[in-house]
Amino acid sequence: MNIKFQLEQAAGVVCKVMYPIPISSFSGRGTEIAVCTLSSIALLKKISNDDIMDKLLIIGRLFSENKGIDQLIHYCTTSHTMKYLILCGKDTNGHYPGDALINLMQFGLDDHHKIIGTRAPYPFIRCHPNLVNKFRQQIKLVDMRGCHNLNKIIETVNSLN
């Protein structure tokens, strides 16, 4: 493990202590559609307070290109009804989990479990490759990165329903 990686891991722990983010997800009443707001906490709160939650299975955030994506894969593949994941909001600078997720869906993993083609600095997935393949086959990713417009997100949800 290199020094840069160890320093970044330590910085991540410090950030969690200094800037805790208590909200990570909200459950909805839908069955097929999930929304990921990446690092956009205000967007997460705005959507969670809207009637669109009746059509969403879950809405959550994603800050990291490794552990976060591992957790996302596990959640999505244990849901037997989920079909769509809408990716919106602002990608986390430095980690770029949105970029990593898009590239995972498009190109998969190399032999070292690294996401192919991403700009994320540590895109190593711990999930078993079979689980990653199941995720890639089961879920249709809707790329709306950069979108913070609630009406456009609602329109997309309604078009998928």
Side-chain angles (χ1 to χ4, degrees):
M1 205 178 300
N2 69 32
I3 294 282
K4 181 182 176 191
F5 179 77
Q6 290 174 341
L7 288 172
E8 287 175 353
Q9 292 298 308
V13 171
V14 170
C15 284
K16 283 182 185 178
V17 172
M18 291 180 66
Y19 305 105
I21 301 171
I23 302 166
S24 62
S25 66
F26 294 94
S27 294
R29 290 166 289 288
T31 58
E32 296 183 345
I33 304 169
V35 172
C36 175
T37 63
L38 295 167
S39 68
S40 300
I41 302 299
L43 181 60
L44 174 73
K45 290 178 184 178
K46 190 188 302 185
I47 294 171
S48 73
N49 290 317
D50 193 270
D51 290 340
I52 198 65
M53 290 300 292
D54 288 337
K55 296 181 180 180
L56 298 179
L57 174 64
I58 192 168
I59 179 172
R61 59 185 176 80
L62 179 64
F63 284 118
S64 74
E65 74 277 25
N66 41 49
K67 292 177 188 175
I69 291 178
D70 275 327
Q71 291 173 344
L72 182 73
I73 290 169
H74 280 287
Y75 180 85
C76 292
T77 55
T78 57
S79 169
H80 299 293
T81 60
M82 188 175 155
K83 294 180 182 176
Y84 303 100
L85 176 60
I86 298 171
L87 197 58
C88 58
K90 183 181 184 306
D91 213 352
T92 307
N93 288 334
H95 287 280
Y96 305 104
D99 180 78
L101 191 57
I102 293 291
N103 280 282
L104 174 66
M105 294 301 275
Q106 190 170 3
F107 304 114
L109 301 174
D110 69 13
D111 293 338
H112 302 287
H113 296 240
K114 181 179 180 185
I115 298 171
I116 298 168
T118 184
R119 65 191 279 199
Y122 299 105
F124 294 94
I125 302 300
R126 293 184 180 213
C127 292
H128 192 279
N130 290 342
L131 196 59
V132 173
N133 288 336
K134 179 180 178 184
F135 171 74
R136 291 176 68 208
Q137 293 169 2
Q138 176 182 330
I139 303 300
K140 173 155 177 41
L141 192 62
V142 179
D143 185 5
M144 294 182 70
R145 287 177 292 168
C147 179
H148 292 84
N149 183 313
L150 180 60
N151 290 328
K152 286 184 180 180
I153 295 166
I154 290 170
E155 184 181 302
T156 301
V157 169
N158 287 331
S159 75
L160 297 173
N161 239 346

